């Protein structure tokens, strides 16, 4: 056995190939947000989606250090107490995994097999990233900022710490924070305890967990997670386009009651209020459409108050459920003009897929017990 | 479409059939404990395994009621404040899903596709169940005690609240508590907020979440989750044997660093301490054996101090890792004489499977970076 056999190339599933054992191992470790948890304005920590590339590192806030160095005037190193003295801000952020929706694709890229529940919204508290970088002083030759987590492993034969890069402009202007609290409590281990980056509006891969180093460099960052993974490609060898902000998506709370195994829904006939949330990392949500006939016809949902940030926005729709089978679907529009597609274009990594949710519902003429 | 088409019969996977879309939906909602979390004595709430049959119900502690009625001298109804006045006890409990290990079986029963991480240990705080039942007074005709949760749905065509029964003796003598705290905090929604049963030593299906009713009945309980599901059967139509206590199992913390996709492990050559936990619902753990050659030879692990309850017990094993590929495996013995098998016998529901863990490790002659 060699490293290559232990840590292989990416691939697409064969036609009709079921979910593989490797995909199942990831699905059993990582988890989405059960969609009924769309009912909570803020997702409780244990219900928020989580994706961990390698292992959750053992970590202690007591001896944790964050360094800010590289192309800076004055390299800095912070313990948790020193960091807390640098400022405190709370931001409400909807995070979504860049691979959300992947498992529904044909052909299916073999990786973490998300359906469409890899999302969550939390209030993250920490110090603005810009304050830390400015405290160190940005040298003129600085081009990119590299964030390094304490998680370490292999991907496609390459041993690495989890690392992501941003341009200096993105790092300064995106409202990013270096967070130590989630929903008012210390970060849970799986969400980056004791310290993580939060990049509002960006897919989750940018929000590096277990953050231990911020390094300014004088060239473009070409690490694995920017240059190899997390790119939109049609063919394996093309350069592709790096993934940044979250595409618009709306999700309904599945109404009624589920079947344990199929997750199909049973709904008693009569008036029912359908509810859900919609979000986009590009601009606030300004319209949500609902269809109760599998997309043949669409009607506007009622939007909740605007949150004045990029976090999700609630919506509701009054439906008079008549007996029989129905397919509910929903799509979001944001203020940048982006419209969620019924079916998003395929790409080889299964990234940024925002195809519309479909919920199969059987409306029962007798009220459910 | 009919109820039967929405909520079908159980089945076994065909030969070579990959994990199905239905199984994946469950794997994306529910989740195991990432095995590196075996490092924590108490599993943080968001890392503890969770299985929800239907939806997590919307619930509020403010207006929650628990009734104790049926074959009792005096039916009772408790709000949360009244319950807290009935007593307070904290128990440390290892819970494991009865379906843990199912996805590794051949043929594979189609249900929640657990590998082997459906476990967790927490401190649960609440009032002893026996105190509540005794406060109501047990009538002589009482035979079984039925626990009803607020979760509601369909299984194999049968609409139901989640319900489980115990005999009166089991309910009084098993150290069960009605809990409102997990690890010192209110129960998270997915673990039964605001109130759940905890049955120490039993597989998780007995610890009814979102508990709203305790009813003593004068006959044997024949509800779905006792009489249809959660039974050991070889053939679909046999009566089978009800599932109760947890079979012994040991799990190692996977050493070294993982590959993202295969989860195979890379370990630098040299001395390393392998660590893990073992548990049994029948009796305390008294021996754990480790094999670093796929089960050809076995050596005793060093046990941590006995916890004096049925919760997991830590162990460690000094390994001098030599370069090459190795398969690590481990097995537990408890004080009742039960020994964890290398391969547990198959049953149709994939229940109570405690086949030994196997971890494939590549030991690298050069130290890992």
């Amino acid at each position: 056995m060699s490293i290559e056999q232990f840590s292989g190339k990416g691939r697409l599933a064969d036609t009709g190939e079921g979910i593989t054992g490797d995909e199942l191992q990831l699905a059993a470790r990582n988890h989405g947000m059960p969609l009924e948890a769309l009912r909570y304005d803020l997702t409780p920590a244990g219900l928020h989606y989580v994706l961990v590339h390698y292992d959750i590192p053992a970590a202690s806030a007591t001896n944790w250090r964050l360094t800010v160095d590289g192309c800076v005037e004055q390299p800095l190193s912070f313990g948790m107490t020193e960091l807390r003295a640098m400022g405190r801000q709370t931001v409400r952020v909807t995070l979504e995994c860049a691979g959300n929706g992947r498992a529904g694709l044909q052909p299916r890229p073999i990786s973490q097999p998300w359906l469409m529940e890899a999302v969550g919204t939390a209030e993250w508290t920490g110090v603005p990233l810009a304050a830390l970088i400015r405290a160190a002083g940005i040298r003129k030759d600085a081009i990119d900022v590299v964030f390094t987590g304490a998680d370490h492993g292999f991907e496609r034969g390459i041993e690495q710490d989890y690392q992501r890069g941003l341009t200096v402009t993105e790092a300064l202007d995106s409202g990013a924070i270096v967070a130590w609290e989630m929903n008012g409590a210390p970060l849970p281990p799986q969400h980056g305890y004791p310290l993580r980056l939060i990049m509002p509006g960006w897919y989750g891969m940018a929000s590096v967990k277990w953050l231990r180093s911020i390094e300014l460099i004088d060239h473009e960052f070409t690490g694995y997670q920017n240059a190899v993974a997390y790119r939109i490609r049609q063919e394996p060898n093309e350069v592709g386009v790096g993934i940044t902000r979250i595409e618009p998506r709306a999700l309904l709370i599945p109404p009624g009651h589920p079947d344990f195994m199929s997750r199909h829904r049973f709904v008693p006939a009569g008036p029912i209020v359908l509810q859900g949330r919609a979000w986009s990392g590009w601009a606030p949500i300004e319209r949500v459409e609902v269809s109760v006939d599998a997309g043949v016809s669409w009607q506007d949902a009622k939007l909740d108050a605007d949150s004045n940030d990029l976090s999700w926005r609630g919506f509701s729709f009054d439906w008079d459920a008549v007996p029989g089978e129905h397919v509910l679907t929903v799509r979001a529009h944001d203020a940048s003009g982006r419209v969620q597609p019924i079916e998003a274009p395929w790409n080889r990594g299964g990234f940024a897929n925002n195809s519309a949710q479909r919920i199969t519902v059987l409306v029962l003429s007798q009220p459910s017990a």
Side-chain angles (χ1 to χ4, degrees), chain A:
Chain A
M1 267 284 170
S2 64
I3 289 178
E4 290 66 36
Q5 286 165 292
F6 265 53
S7 181
K9 287 191 192 306
R11 74 171 179 96
L12 303 175
D14 295 333
T15 306
E17 183 179 1
I19 303 293
T20 64
D22 279 2
E23 290 168 287
L24 179 60
Q25 287 186 110
L26 288 174
R29 285 176 55 79
N30 299 307
H31 66 87
M33 182 189 73
L35 293 186
E36 65 270 30
L38 286 164
R39 77 166 72 101
Y40 306 109
D41 286 341
L42 295 179
T43 313
L47 293 174
H48 194 290
Y49 100 86
V50 64
L51 178 80
V52 174
H53 274 244
Y54 314 122
D55 285 355
I56 299 164
S60 160
T62 311
N63 59 6
W64 197 261
R65 302 299 300 181
L66 172 68
T67 55
V68 183
D69 58 16
C71 300
V72 297
E73 303 296 341
Q74 174 63 53
L76 297 174
S77 172
F78 300 92
M80 294 298 293
T81 307
E82 296 154 321
L83 259 190
R84 287 167 191 271
M86 294 293 292
R88 180 183 172 89
Q89 187 186 344
T90 296
V91 291
R92 186 191 183 92
V93 176
T94 295
L95 285 181
E96 182 176 3
C97 185
N100 202 15
R102 177 185 290 129
L105 296 181
Q106 300 266 9
R108 183 181 79 251
I110 302 270
S111 184
Q112 166 70 36
W114 293 124
L115 294 164
M116 52 184 57
E117 59 289 89
V119 67
T121 296
E123 285 183 346
W124 304 91
T125 298
V127 57
L129 172 63
L132 296 185
I133 294 176
R134 291 214 167 92
I138 306 165
R139 280 201 339 230
K140 287 225 171 79
D141 56 345
I143 304 250
D144 274 5
V145 186
V146 182
F147 301 85
T148 304
D151 44 336
H152 183 93
F154 289 72
E155 258 172 282
R156 299 189 213 164
I158 299 169
E159 184 168 8
Q160 57 193 288
D161 295 326
Y162 187 86
Q163 284 191 315
R164 281 278 306 183
L166 296 171
T167 67
V168 170
T169 306
E170 288 164 348
L172 294 178
D173 296 349
S174 300
I177 65 166
V178 172
W180 51 77
E181 285 180 18
M182 179 185 191
N183 295 340
L187 298 180
Q190 72 274 25
H191 287 293
Y193 173 86
L195 206 59
R196 71 175 298 174
L197 186 64
I198 289 289
M199 272 291 279
W202 286 52
Y203 282 111
M205 79 279 147
S207 292
V208 175
K209 298 194 283 283
W210 313 290
L211 183 67
R212 60 177 185 74
S213 161
I214 298 172
E215 185 189 6
L216 281 66
I217 62 175
D218 65 1
H219 54 277
E220 189 186 350
F221 177 66
T222 56
Y224 180 91
Q225 304 295 346
N226 280 64
V228 180
Y230 293 115
R231 299 187 79 82
I232 303 280
R233 292 188 183 94
Q234 299 301 315
E235 298 297 334
N237 294 322
E238 66 181 295
V239 172
V241 176
I243 290 160
T244 59
R245 290 184 177 272
I246 299 173
E247 298 297 323
R249 187 195 284 276
L251 289 176
L252 285 165
I253 301 174
H257 293 113
D259 176 62
F260 168 68
M261 195 64 221
S262 72
R263 307 314 293 178
H264 285 327
R265 312 293 303 191
F266 296 90
V267 172
I272 180 174
V273 181
L274 301 176
Q275 293 183 290
R277 311 263 182 186
W279 63 93
S280 164
W282 296 99
I285 292 296
E286 58 173 31
R287 185 179 175 204
V288 173
E289 293 174 281
V290 175
S291 170
V292 296
D293 56 10
V296 175
S297 66
W298 295 85
Q299 289 174 269
D300 278 11
K302 200 183 320 172
L303 292 178
D304 294 351
D306 192 345
S307 57
N308 294 314
D309 56 29
L310 297 178
S311 71
W312 63 24
R313 186 172 187 181
F315 63 86
S316 60
F317 180 80
D318 295 323
W319 181 35
D320 190 8
V322 296
E325 186 183 338
H326 304 271
V327 174
L328 313 181
T329 185
V330 64
R331 63 182 173 190
H333 304 241
D334 74 16
S336 77
R338 286 175 173 82
V339 181
Q340 183 183 0
I342 304 304
E343 187 138 8
W346 183 90
N347 67 79
R348 199 172 170 89
F351 292 118
N353 182 281
N354 61 339
S355 295
Q357 179 189 27
R358 291 170 64 91
I359 303 176
T360 306
V361 168
L362 185 62
V363 177
L364 301 171
S365 49
Q366 295 301 314
S368 171

